Amino acid sequence: MKQKFQINGISCGGCVARVKKTLEEHPNIEKAEIFLAPKGATVITMNETLSVAELQKQLDALNGYTITEIN
């Protein structure tokens, strides 16, 4: 299933690569697509639904990024 999110703190391609790699290390995330336009727009494909809190916990290893769900 795909869900849309906004990740704050994304400012360049390096950020995108780091955040993508970190999110995709989670066992329930198949794929993370992160865009620079609009900045930080993200589509995550998951095997099983993860809460925003669980996704934030995954991102906390990087410092400086916050994630919110887009309806």
Side-chain angles (χ1 to χ4, degrees):
M1 81 192 59
K2 288 185 178 187
Q3 286 183 268
K4 294 180 181 176
F5 299 92
Q6 174 67 40
I7 298 179
N8 297 313
I10 300 279
S11 60
C12 65
C15 296
V16 169
R18 258 192 315 280
V19 171
K20 176 179 173 63
K21 179 180 183 292
T22 299
L23 287 173
E24 290 179 347
E25 286 172 353
H26 192 287
N28 291 325
I29 295 178
E30 287 179 31
K31 182 178 175 187
E33 299 171 88
I34 304 165
F35 305 93
L36 285 173
K39 192 178 285 188
T42 304
V43 177
I44 299 176
T45 306
M46 305 176 200
N47 297 324
E48 130 186 353
T49 304
L50 297 171
S51 69
V52 171
E54 290 172 293
L55 294 169
Q56 183 63 57
K57 190 185 291 186
Q58 187 73 12
L59 286 177
D60 283 346
L62 293 177
N63 291 336
Y65 300 100
T66 56
I67 188 166
T68 53
E69 192 166 4
I70 299 173
N71 295 328

